[in-house]
Amino acid sequence: MPWPDFVVGDVGTTIAQMKDRKVSPIAALETEIAQAWADRGARVRAALDGHPGLTLQTTAFRYRVSYDMDAGAFDNGAVHIADDLGADALISDNRFFDVLPRGVSKGPSLLLLVEYLGVARTRVLAAGDTLNDLSMLVAPACSMSPRWNVSLSRQS
């Protein structure tokens, strides 16, 4: 499989060009993401420390905080805590809990990249398999979800 030229990753908080198999964030596209995040990481981690059903992931992300989630022990109050902090919460695959900058997800980030590159939406193919991909799957003109065996199509 060929390497992509560009990626939207980290639940939409990274928009990057791939150079020599290395991720190179596109600063012009990530400025709004960084501003929306406003260095909330420490506040999010403190507010959700010890929250039932959440275990902080060890990977440090620039513009999000991510947890492994035990669905049986999870308390939905974490969603309200994220909201009170001015952020969005996203539960994915019933085992991941992400706190993101408000309004940021893969769909809006993909559309920013497409506009930046000057590519027609009808020439974009997005693929994903969990809820964190949903906003991306409904954003471009054509997308697919191999896990759900669903093909979504929309004219731009």
Side-chain angles (χ1 to χ4, degrees):
M1 176 178 274
W3 279 78
D5 295 325
F6 298 91
V7 294
V8 171
D10 295 328
V11 197
T13 63
T14 295
I15 307 171
Q17 185 170 10
M18 298 299 293
K19 295 180 183 177
D20 300 320
R21 295 191 176 210
K22 294 188 192 295
V23 176
S24 299
I26 303 170
L29 298 180
E30 290 191 356
T31 299
E32 288 182 39
I33 294 169
Q35 289 171 346
W37 185 239
D39 292 322
R40 281 185 174 81
R43 287 179 283 156
V44 169
R45 286 186 293 277
L48 291 174
D49 185 41
H51 195 84
L54 295 181
T55 303
L56 183 66
Q57 292 181 1
T58 57
T59 304
F61 297 101
R62 295 173 305 143
Y63 308 124
R64 71 176 168 124
V65 177
S66 295
Y67 297 86
D68 292 316
M69 187 184 87
D70 176 346
F74 178 71
D75 176 339
N76 201 45
V79 174
H80 302 291
I81 290 170
D83 187 57
D84 290 345
L85 291 170
D88 288 341
L90 177 67
I91 296 172
S92 181
D93 203 26
N94 213 30
R95 60 189 182 117
F96 301 112
F97 183 86
D98 292 295
V99 181
L100 307 161
R102 183 150 290 148
V104 174
S105 64
K106 287 184 180 180
S109 293
L110 176 62
L111 294 177
L112 281 174
L113 178 61
V114 167
E115 184 178 315
Y116 175 80
L117 296 173
V119 175
R121 289 186 189 185
T122 56
R123 301 205 30 94
V124 174
L125 176 66
D129 63 356
T130 62
L131 187 59
N132 77 33
D133 299 314
L134 183 60
S135 68
M136 177 181 66
L137 294 174
V138 297
C142 181
S143 58
M144 61 180 261
S145 173
R147 183 175 191 184
W148 297 321
N149 195 25
V150 173
S151 181
L152 304 171
S153 179
R154 187 175 85 193
Q155 298 297 322
S156 60

